[in-house]
Amino acid sequence: MYKLIFVLPLGDADAQRVHYTIKSIRKYCTDYLISVVLDGVKNPSALPVGDDIEYLDAKYKSGGHWGAIWLNQMHAMCAYIDHPKTDDNTLFVKIDADALIVQEGFYQRAKALFNSRPKAGQIGQVYTDSVGNRLVNKGWQNFYHKTLGWRGYKKFILGKAANGQFSKNLSARLQAYQTYANLVKKNPAPHEYAIGGCYCLTQQFVADFYRKGLLDANPFLFTPEFGEDAIMGLYVGALGYTLLDDTMDQGLFAVGGMYNKYDDAFRANPLKIAQRGHTVIHPFKFGYQDNSIQLDEFELADKLLNQTQAQQHK
């Protein structure tokens, strides 16, 4: 039986770095399947192969449309709900192609956390960063506020939809806006967890999502500004589940704080983060540099995997 089903959305820009991600899963996990969702990949023959990998064509060619990217990964997860090797204890892991598993024990830690919180459906949409600061997320707070007003209404009515979905159907657009508004209203502070490209979901949550008809009856094909990191938590809350933040020492996920996108106070050396016992390091695609070290993404990936291996054999 599968203990872990990894869902890895893959665009053409990730075709080289995904080798590191899959290598890390193979190194540190057992009883797993990797489901790779191909979205605009021009040369799939260059991708890793093996009995532990299944490649699926994306239902929607996203063209960078974030809502479509999220929906593609949900289609992939739901495809395994009734798989004969999926049971009630299977965990689904959304993992980006710029994330690495860096030690053993993912399933054991995740399962123990879920068992300690019976209502939890998700681990990993973080609201603290990897240097311990609370993520205020004022940008997402402002975004939710605006999209519940006339700006959001206008966006749903006039905005460009992925794959031309309902592009001329006004009633469908109105319904999509109302569905979105209801999701946000069911979550009193959705901006607090609107971050995270890697997370873990229970089989029960994914099954509920699928069997309650939410797979395609969703509003997010209309909203290209919505990263999938701002969508998942809405459904977790709306379906009556809670969300666990697990990013501090020994936590499953170390997200953010390891590249130059934010100011220096938010940054942390990913090599040192790995030493704190995290299981997943994300992202590595920006590499890392400070006053004493400069690594591109692949040099960083090599060091993360080799450093952890060296530590485990001390």
Side-chain angles (χ1 to χ4, degrees):
M1 303 298 287
Y2 296 134
K3 290 182 178 179
L4 296 167
I5 296 178
F6 291 93
V7 175
L8 204 160
L10 188 66
D12 200 50
D14 299 315
Q16 186 175 358
R17 61 178 60 102
V18 73
H19 287 265
Y20 284 89
T21 306
I22 291 176
K23 177 182 178 181
S24 74
I25 294 171
R26 286 172 167 171
K27 183 178 182 64
Y28 293 114
C29 299
T30 60
D31 303 314
Y32 65 84
L33 176 72
I34 303 171
S35 175
V36 181
V37 184
L38 299 177
D39 184 2
V41 177
K42 297 183 179 64
N43 184 21
S45 64
L47 297 174
V49 295
D51 294 338
D52 57 347
I53 303 175
E54 291 186 358
Y55 287 98
L56 305 176
D57 289 326
K59 181 177 176 64
Y60 302 99
K61 299 302 180 185
S62 70
H65 190 293
W66 291 347
I69 294 171
W70 170 81
L71 189 54
N72 285 335
Q73 76 190 40
M74 292 310 299
H75 269 278
M77 290 187 188
C78 292
Y80 294 102
I81 286 298
D82 295 319
H83 192 284
K85 295 186 72 173
T86 301
D87 63 23
D88 290 345
N89 293 309
T90 298
L91 299 180
F92 290 80
V93 186
K94 192 276 184 181
I95 186 167
D96 281 353
D98 59 338
L100 298 173
I101 308 291
V102 295
Q103 68 169 325
E104 297 174 350
F106 184 104
Y107 180 83
Q108 290 79 4
R109 177 169 177 81
K111 193 61 182 173
L113 286 169
F114 281 127
N115 288 342
S116 72
R117 303 288 193 277
K119 292 185 178 180
Q122 179 181 2
I123 303 170
Q125 290 291 113
V126 301
Y127 42 85
T128 54
D129 66 35
S130 50
V131 294
N133 296 323
R134 179 79 176 187
L135 290 173
V136 179
N137 280 333
K138 288 184 178 179
W140 279 119
Q141 186 176 21
N142 185 51
F143 182 86
Y144 286 117
H145 174 73
K146 285 182 177 179
T147 52
L148 286 181
W150 66 268
R151 295 178 186 85
Y153 182 82
K154 180 179 179 181
K155 187 180 297 296
F156 275 84
I157 299 302
L158 301 178
K160 182 180 179 181
N163 288 63
Q165 293 294 307
F166 312 113
S167 58
K168 298 180 180 180
N169 190 327
L170 179 60
S171 62
R173 287 176 173 265
L174 290 171
Q175 181 60 48
Y177 174 77
Q178 189 59 55
T179 299
Y180 165 73
N182 289 338
L183 282 171
V184 176
K185 290 174 182 177
K186 289 179 180 179
N187 292 269
H191 59 279
E192 289 188 355
Y193 46 77
I195 190 169
C198 299
Y199 45 76
C200 182
L201 303 167
T202 64
Q203 188 273 354
Q204 290 81 5
F205 167 77
V206 178
D208 270 358
F209 179 89
Y210 176 61
R211 289 174 178 145
K212 291 184 179 180
L214 300 176
L215 185 57
D216 287 305
N218 73 84
F220 295 107
L221 292 176
F222 296 94
T223 54
E225 296 91 345
F226 255 110
E228 52 83 20
D229 50 355
I231 296 174
M232 199 71 256
L234 293 176
Y235 280 103
V236 172
L239 289 174
Y241 293 86
T242 58
L243 183 148
L244 296 178
D245 181 17
D246 189 44
T247 60
M248 300 311 294
D249 290 9
Q250 309 301 318
L252 277 180
F253 299 97
V255 183
M258 53 186 81
Y259 51 97
N260 295 327
K261 186 175 180 180
Y262 300 98
D263 59 40
D264 288 343
F266 190 64
R267 295 175 63 211
N269 187 331
L271 301 174
K272 293 182 179 179
I273 290 174
Q275 293 173 0
R276 301 195 319 222
H278 291 291
T279 307
V280 180
I281 300 289
H282 171 255
F284 70 83
K285 71 178 179 181
F286 298 99
Y288 182 76
Q289 63 179 15
D290 58 25
N291 292 332
S292 61
I293 188 173
Q294 183 170 342
L295 302 169
D296 66 26
E297 61 175 294
F298 302 118
E299 291 170 331
L300 176 59
D302 279 328
K303 281 189 174 293
L304 283 167
L305 291 177
N306 293 333
Q307 170 181 271
T308 305
Q309 183 181 28
Q311 289 173 350
Q312 289 182 341
H313 287 83
K314 283 183 177 179

